[in-house]
Amino acid sequence: MECCALILAAGASTRMGRPKQELPLRGVPALVYTLRAFEQTPCVQATVLVCPPGQQAHYCLLAQRYRCAEKLRAVVPGGETRQQSAAAGARAAGDCDFLAVHDGARVLVTPEEITRVVRDAQQYGAAALAVPVKDTVKVTNADGFVDHTPERSTLWAVQTPQVFAAQQYLSLLEAAEGDFTDDCQLFERAGQPVHLCRGSYTNLKLTTPEDIPAAEVILKARER
């Protein structure tokens, strides 16, 4: 069963203050780590990179320069929202059985984690990496006061990749109303089950400047 990864790297990086796709991590552009992880995962046969509009040639050359373009099927421009970018990537994926949607800024994902979630999706139809929430979470009202405290044992922080049967994902994407920040929501709204696959706390997302030194520590430890 062929799986194509959609690597979403078209965001504006407003919270980081500069494009996080090319932030240097141990001397290498951040996005390269993401591309390498999928290149090294045998159960993913192809990748589609979704980049900022007008920068397709630049990102294609970046992948070639760092020797992580062997599986690269297409480099396409993203849309104004994450959902639009995912749709652009899905259209470029062509015929495949499963689509693995991944945030390009999750640069520390490993081939082992990708393999686990792809295998889960092949068994259940839809799966996502996730980790149990460590902190107590509060739900507030509109005025900022605590409304209630959900049971922590039921809470998970969802990561990517999120992997889906391709035809079902495309059908739900076309029928979606509104904008989703997470692809699992497409299935949730349709009443379709999504299996959570145990991920790793090191699969963090580069979002704010504080994430950069943490990522570099993890990468350094992996080199030992």
Side-chain angles (χ1 to χ4, degrees):
M1 290 185 286
E2 183 176 77
C3 179
C4 179
L6 313 180
I7 301 172
L8 309 184
S13 306
T14 53
R15 284 174 288 182
M16 186 65 74
R18 51 178 172 159
K20 54 190 172 186
Q21 300 94 322
E22 297 187 60
L23 284 171
L25 291 177
R26 299 188 64 74
V28 177
L31 183 61
V32 170
Y33 291 100
T34 305
L35 294 171
R36 283 176 176 170
F38 286 92
E39 286 281 331
Q40 296 166 7
T41 304
C43 65
V44 174
Q45 289 78 30
T47 60
V48 172
L49 175 58
V50 185
C51 70
Q55 298 191 41
Q56 297 95 297
H58 169 70
Y59 278 92
C60 186
L61 288 172
L62 184 146
Q64 292 172 352
R65 176 185 176 188
Y66 286 94
R67 299 181 181 179
C68 46
E70 184 176 338
K71 296 181 181 180
L72 194 59
R73 180 169 290 173
V75 179
V76 298
E80 294 182 359
T81 66
R82 184 187 188 280
Q83 188 173 318
Q84 291 174 359
S85 293
R91 287 192 294 268
D95 291 333
C96 59
D97 301 295
F98 287 87
L99 293 170
V101 188
H102 186 69
D103 293 321
R106 286 194 185 275
V107 302
L108 300 175
V109 70
T110 66
E112 292 76 20
E113 290 162 359
I114 298 169
T115 299
R116 286 204 305 273
V117 71
V118 170
R119 297 306 185 208
D120 261 25
Q122 290 173 342
Q123 179 177 355
Y124 299 107
L129 285 180
V131 290
V133 170
K134 293 181 179 181
D135 298 322
T136 297
V137 175
K138 302 291 184 182
V139 177
T140 65
N141 60 25
D143 298 316
F145 291 96
V146 172
D147 182 80
H148 67 278
T149 305
E151 174 55 47
R152 186 172 63 185
S153 63
T154 67
L155 300 177
W156 290 68
V158 179
Q159 304 173 339
T160 63
Q162 298 177 2
V163 188
F164 311 100
Q167 290 304 316
Q168 189 176 17
Y169 175 74
L170 288 166
S171 296
L172 292 175
L173 198 60
E174 290 176 1
E177 296 180 0
D179 186 57
F180 301 118
T181 58
D182 166 85
D183 292 281
C184 291
Q185 291 175 280
L186 291 171
F187 283 68
E188 293 168 37
R189 295 288 180 91
Q192 300 297 318
V194 178
H195 187 263
L196 294 186
C197 175
R198 180 65 180 259
S200 168
Y201 291 102
T202 59
N203 185 20
L204 58 85
K205 184 178 180 181
L206 299 182
T207 304
T208 61
E210 293 80 8
D211 298 325
I212 298 172
E216 291 192 321
V217 167
I218 294 169
L219 288 170
K220 183 177 181 180
R222 289 179 180 176
E223 294 174 358
R224 295 172 183 169

